[in-house]
Amino acid sequence: MKKMTCAACDCELGAETITVKFGGKAVEVCCEECARALNEAEAATSSASNGKE
């Protein structure tokens, strides 16, 4: 059986996961803290790419 890990911290996922959008894909994280971290990273990445010409 394949082990599923958190997209943010690589911890093994348990029964309860949180799904967030990152890079246009749905990814699963282990907790609210990791969900916030990915949302902040997504916002920073999109802001940086919007500023480029």
Side-chain angles (χ1 to χ4, degrees):
M1 185 161 115
K2 183 179 175 183
K3 289 184 182 178
M4 300 287 289
T5 58
C6 175
C9 70
D10 287 333
C11 291
E12 191 171 334
L13 292 175
E16 295 185 28
T17 61
I18 300 170
T19 303
V20 295
K21 287 260 187 179
F22 186 75
K25 295 183 179 182
V27 296
E28 293 182 331
V29 295
C30 62
C31 64
E32 195 63 42
E33 184 178 338
C34 287
R36 268 193 308 275
L38 282 185
N39 286 330
E40 290 171 5
E42 175 80 5
T45 302
S46 64
S47 294
S49 63
N50 288 340
K52 292 184 180 180
E53 295 202 17

